[in-house]
């Protein structure tokens, strides 16, 4: 088994599957991909890239479902909007000029709700963005939308799919398991019909699959390229134990823009508690060189301990090792150290 590049998510790939997926992901951009992966892993230890390696862009802060485990159910995120198309195009045109590698449609909302999402994908590819990535709950997917996204050139689609059957429905309210599974199968069928290079990935929280992970993994591997799971987070009651020595690599890798155009230092600032600036006042390059540079300096000087965002973030929590036996393979990963025991989400709340 291999850890994913995020180090907070664990893939269920064999070595062979990992190599196959890396080859698919890097197709038609292999040298650029190798350079990007090197920068992603090693630059946070040594230097700052000239431009973000990843831009998290929140084209939608709206969401049509109420997931049991999502921070949206426990806090006010202060936005409920679609990013204007002209604002988006201005941002992405600049990203194209600076050879941005990954543009990720992800943060606090459901990107597929945006009425211009296909045009947004197409525009990013036209401007030369190497990897356009979508995280989705899958609810808005239709065959027409799937065909549009893949035809527009989307490189990676991750569908959050927490568990099977009633477990899934207890978490992904009010989505229905069989309908979501069919949408995932249709997405794969359309990808293959179009002979596209689009990577298809599913992710689950661990508590949704821990009672029978093999059943989940085997089913999903029959549909998508990659299956992954994340350690559970509890936003209803944050009891994480902070790791004061942790230096977060995100500030050296990425920057975020909300649906209204505000810069955030990372996608874990769910409540917009540390807004850096606005796209009307700073270009992406200026935000990276000035606003995010200030965050890097503060982080290294120990400000992380005083940051309301960093103090609650699971990335900076103490981690404890956990060994799992999955598909005749031993996997070493971790979960988060908490002050209280946590059973998980959905059906797990009742034991």
């Amino acid at each position: 088994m291999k850890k994913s590049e995020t180090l907070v998510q664990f893939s269920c790939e064999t070595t062979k599957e990992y190599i196959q997926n890396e080859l698919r992901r890097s197709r038609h951009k292999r040298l650029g991909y190798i350079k990007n992966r090197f920068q992603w892993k090693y630059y946070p230890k040594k230097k700052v890239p000239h431009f973000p390696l990843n831009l998290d862009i929140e084209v939608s802060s709206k969401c049509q479902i109420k997931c049991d485990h999502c921070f949206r159910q426990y806090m006010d995120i202060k936005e409920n909007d679609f990013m204007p198309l002209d604002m988006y195009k201005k941002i992405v045109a600049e990203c194209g000029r600076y050879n941005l590698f990954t543009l990720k449609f992800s943060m606090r909302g459901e990107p597929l709700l945006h009425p211009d999402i296909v045009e947004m994908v197409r525009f990013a590819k036209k401007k030369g963005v190497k990897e356009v990535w979508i995280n989705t709950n899958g609810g808005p997917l239709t065959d027409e939308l799937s065909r549009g996204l893949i035809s527009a050139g989307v490189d990676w689609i991750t569908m959050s799919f927490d568990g099977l059957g009633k477990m899934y429905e207890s978490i992904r309210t009010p989505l229905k398991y069989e309908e979501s599974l069919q949408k995932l199968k249709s997405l794969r069928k359309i990808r293959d019909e179009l002979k596209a290079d689009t990577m298809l990935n599913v992710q689950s929280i661990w508590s949704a699959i821990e009672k029978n992970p093999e059943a989940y993994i085997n089913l999903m591997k029959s549909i998508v390229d990659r299956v992954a799971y994340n350690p559970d987070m509890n936003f209803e009651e944050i009891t994480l134990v902070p790791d004061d020595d942790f230096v977060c690599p995100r500030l050296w890798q990425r920057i975020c823009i909300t649906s209204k155009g505000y810069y955030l230092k990372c996608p874990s600032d769910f409540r917009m508690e540390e807004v850096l600036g606005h796209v009307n006042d700073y270009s992406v390059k200026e935000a990276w060189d000035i606003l995010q540079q200030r965050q890097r300096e503060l982080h290294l000087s120990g400000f992380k301990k005083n940051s309301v965002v960093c103090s609650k973030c699971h990335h900076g929590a103490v981690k404890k090792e956990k060994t799992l036996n999955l598909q005749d393979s031993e996997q070493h990963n971790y979960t988060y150290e908490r002050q209280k025991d946590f059973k998980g989400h959905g059906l797990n709340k009742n034991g």
Side-chain angles (χ1 to χ4, degrees):
M1 297 292 182
K2 303 284 259 184
K3 288 183 179 179
S4 77
E5 68 276 1
T6 63
L7 303 183
V8 293
Q9 183 180 84
F10 300 96
S11 65
C12 302
E13 301 160 294
T14 63
T15 300
K16 180 181 178 181
E17 289 166 343
Y18 173 78
I19 293 171
Q20 289 173 335
N21 288 334
E22 288 294 287
L23 291 174
R24 174 181 283 276
R25 184 179 177 185
S26 63
R27 197 169 295 164
H28 307 306
K29 50 181 179 284
R30 195 137 295 154
L31 291 179
Y33 179 74
I34 293 171
K35 177 182 177 182
N36 175 265
R37 292 297 86 193
F38 177 85
Q39 292 174 319
W40 187 269
K41 185 173 182 179
Y42 294 107
Y43 270 33
K45 299 177 182 178
K46 296 181 179 180
K47 61 186 296 185
V48 180
H50 79 288
F51 198 73
L53 304 176
N54 178 101
L55 177 67
D56 295 279
I57 193 160
E58 185 182 71
V59 296
S60 169
S61 52
K62 297 175 182 285
C63 190
Q64 87 286 13
I65 66 175
K66 294 184 177 181
C67 295
D68 181 63
H69 67 300
C70 180
F71 54 85
R72 293 176 64 99
Q73 314 318 320
Y74 309 105
M75 61 186 73
D76 179 8
I77 68 168
K78 300 180 181 178
E79 292 187 20
N80 188 40
D81 301 274
F82 292 139
M83 178 178 283
L85 185 59
D86 58 347
M87 177 186 287
Y88 169 84
K89 287 188 172 182
K90 178 183 177 182
I91 294 166
V92 174
E94 180 191 358
C95 290
R97 293 194 297 272
Y98 282 98
N99 299 311
L100 175 72
F101 196 90
T102 300
L103 179 71
K104 193 171 185 179
F105 291 99
S106 174
M107 262 179 59
R108 303 172 301 167
E110 171 50 57
L112 298 190
L113 292 178
H114 199 295
D116 298 314
I117 187 63
V118 173
E119 170 60 20
M120 289 173 157
V121 172
R122 185 178 295 112
F123 185 80
K125 296 306 296 183
K126 179 181 177 181
K127 291 301 177 180
V129 177
K130 301 297 187 298
E131 185 173 70
V132 176
W133 182 315
I134 292 176
N135 275 8
T136 177
N137 60 51
L141 275 177
T142 61
D143 285 358
E144 180 182 5
L145 180 54
S146 295
R147 192 172 296 275
L149 293 169
I150 293 172
S151 297
V154 66
D155 297 279
W156 181 296
I157 299 175
T158 288
M159 185 168 170
S160 295
F161 207 111
D162 298 297
L164 305 176
K166 291 182 180 180
M167 177 63 77
Y168 173 86
E169 293 180 358
S170 73
I171 295 172
R172 293 273 157 185
T173 307
L175 298 181
K176 299 302 180 184
Y177 172 72
E178 291 296 342
E179 291 177 8
S180 295
L181 189 63
Q182 184 55 50
K183 288 181 179 186
L184 190 61
K185 290 178 178 179
S186 294
L187 180 64
R188 170 61 184 269
K189 181 180 179 182
I190 291 168
R191 193 278 302 270
D192 291 350
E193 285 178 357
L194 295 175
K195 296 181 171 59
D197 294 328
T198 308
M199 275 281 297
L200 301 181
N201 178 64
V202 294
Q203 61 183 10
S204 172
I205 55 174
W206 172 247
S207 67
I209 65 172
E210 65 177 331
K211 292 179 181 176
N212 190 357
E214 284 79 9
Y216 178 87
I217 293 168
N218 291 336
L219 174 61
M220 293 302 167
K221 279 190 177 184
S222 71
I223 305 171
V224 300
D225 304 304
R226 183 175 178 274
V227 182
Y229 62 89
N230 305 310
D232 286 69
M233 293 174 280
N234 182 8
F235 295 104
E236 187 173 10
E237 184 182 17
I238 298 174
T239 60
L240 297 169
V241 178
D243 181 354
D244 290 339
D245 296 325
F246 177 74
V247 177
C248 185
R250 287 175 152 200
L251 303 178
W252 282 260
Q253 296 166 332
R254 66 210 303 170
I255 197 168
C256 308
I257 305 177
T258 75
S259 61
K260 287 188 175 181
Y262 292 101
Y263 287 108
L264 302 178
K265 62 180 176 180
C266 84
S268 291
D269 188 357
F270 308 119
R271 294 179 177 174
M272 298 173 58
E273 294 174 288
E274 294 178 11
V275 172
L276 307 185
H278 195 274
V279 296
N280 290 339
D281 303 316
Y282 298 89
S283 68
V284 180
K285 176 64 172 170
E286 289 170 335
W288 183 246
D289 289 343
I290 301 170
L291 305 179
Q292 195 74 319
Q293 177 59 25
R294 178 59 177 156
Q295 292 300 313
R296 289 187 281 266
E297 292 168 354
L298 288 169
H299 205 77
L300 290 172
S301 67
F303 172 79
K304 179 180 80 73
K305 299 176 184 179
N306 301 317
S307 166
V308 293
V309 176
C310 296
S311 65
K312 296 179 288 188
C313 181
H314 58 284
H315 289 270
V318 174
K319 298 172 178 63
K320 57 181 181 181
E321 293 186 5
K322 190 172 185 178
T323 300
L324 304 172
N325 292 308
L326 296 178
Q327 297 184 324
D328 301 321
S329 177
E330 191 173 73
Q331 182 168 4
H332 301 279
N333 55 43
Y334 60 76
T335 186
Y336 304 113
E337 189 72 52
R338 294 184 172 90
Q339 297 166 11
K340 297 181 180 179
D341 289 337
F342 179 58
K343 294 181 179 179
H345 301 281
L347 297 177
N348 291 305
K349 285 186 173 180
N350 298 319

